[in-house]
Amino acid sequence: METRIDEIAERIYRISTFVPEIAPPAGFTFNQFLVDAEEPLIFHTGMRSLFPAVSEAVGRVLPVERLRWVTFGHVEADECGAMNEFLAAAPHARVAHNTLGCLVSLNDLADRPPVPMDDGEVLDLGGRQVRRRVRNINTAHVPHGWEARVLFEEQTRTLFCGDLFTHLGNGPAVTDADLVESALESEGLFRQTSCLTAAATALRSLAELRPRTLAVMHGSSFHGDGAAALTALADGLEERFGPESGFVGLPSALAGPHP
């Protein structure tokens, strides 16, 4: 496996590990995002097995022990598997997640009490020259998970969108190319989205933020008209997979063979 780190927006770094054995021959990336601020934040931790590689990559930007916030989109191994490893390496770090996620999972799973965030609540990361603020936006069941959410960094207008726009391959760290078609193909393969109606509604709501960069967990990040990309993905999901009654029965390649 290869782990690389690239700056995708001002002082926002994508840490990416390519795993060719997943979904061959294209392969699959697992990405984390580091915000270098007065109170540094990481979005996604990766699985526990990736902690040595991910923490080493963080260390190329700043000492791991300086991390102040450990965050992620929802409770899942690739999102927060190494949560407690990061808490151990960074003695002043706290997990910050939405209130529901803290209540149903993280109050028990995290080695230190997590910080609950309400929908729309802002976490101030500080900064003398450039002040960083990330906003919590709840997206229940989008793409999956009761406690799902995204973060929006207001200064660079970067949307940490988790599993939204998931696609295969080991492309560039950030691209201005259209990701919608590849994301729809991946949805057809993995069937990760829980509710078609909720997904389309959430995507159109997120488009109102008019993000400039979409920090994608699996695949390349996107820089450009984020509102148009989010709206196009909502339209594409409805056109390709609607109606809802048919969508719920579609199988996932991860579930094994189906009769």
Side-chain angles (χ1 to χ4, degrees), residues 11-247:
R11 298 177 71 178
I12 296 179
Y13 298 86
R14 171 188 183 259
I15 300 166
S16 181
T17 303
F18 176 59
V19 184
E21 294 81 9
I22 296 179
F28 204 59
T29 59
F30 293 88
N31 305 325
Q32 300 79 42
F33 298 93
L34 175 67
V35 181
D36 180 11
E38 186 176 338
E39 296 188 2
L41 173 147
I42 191 167
F43 189 75
H44 309 144
T45 70
M47 297 82 81
R48 286 186 298 167
S49 62
L50 289 183
F51 176 73
V54 174
S55 59
E56 188 276 332
V58 170
R60 295 181 225 167
V61 179
L62 53 88
V64 176
E65 57 266 25
R66 273 198 59 217
L67 277 177
R68 183 66 179 83
W69 299 105
V70 177
T71 64
F72 37 89
H74 53 271
V75 179
E76 197 171 83
D78 59 349
E79 298 257 354
C80 62
M83 167 181 65
N84 288 322
E85 282 76 5
F86 273 105
L87 292 179
H92 301 293
R94 299 280 298 277
V95 171
H97 198 76
N98 64 25
T99 300
L100 179 62
C102 292
L103 288 173
V104 301
S105 295
L106 298 172
N107 288 341
D108 181 72
L109 295 178
D111 283 348
R112 284 198 286 278
V115 175
M117 299 182 69
D118 293 330
D119 188 36
E121 185 174 347
V122 170
L123 194 63
D124 192 335
L125 308 183
R128 293 183 180 88
Q129 295 180 332
V130 178
R131 197 160 195 90
R132 299 287 186 169
R133 291 161 46 91
V134 292
R135 191 188 320 167
N136 172 68
I137 302 169
N138 292 341
T139 58
H141 304 293
V142 179
H144 46 260
W146 187 21
E147 77 297 344
R149 57 85 172 258
V150 298
L151 287 181
F152 182 62
E153 200 283 304
E154 297 177 341
Q155 176 67 29
T156 62
R157 306 196 69 77
T158 296
L159 182 66
F160 298 97
C161 54
D163 286 334
L164 298 174
F165 291 95
T166 286
H167 54 282
L168 304 182
N170 189 24
V174 61
T175 181
D176 60 1
D178 181 16
L179 297 182
V180 173
E181 180 58 32
S182 55
L184 292 172
E185 291 174 358
S186 293
E187 176 61 40
L189 177 66
F190 293 130
R191 274 297 291 112
Q192 64 163 347
T193 303
S194 296
C195 175
L196 180 61
T197 303
T201 300
L203 287 163
R204 293 188 175 108
S205 178
L206 292 173
E208 295 176 6
L209 298 170
R210 306 197 69 79
R212 288 197 294 263
T213 300
L214 303 175
V216 177
M217 184 175 183
H218 302 294
S220 300
S221 292
F222 173 80
H223 185 75
D225 189 343
L230 289 158
T231 302
L233 182 58
D235 293 343
L237 286 170
E238 289 179 330
E239 292 167 5
R240 185 165 305 187
F241 298 110
E244 187 83 52
S245 58
F247 180 71

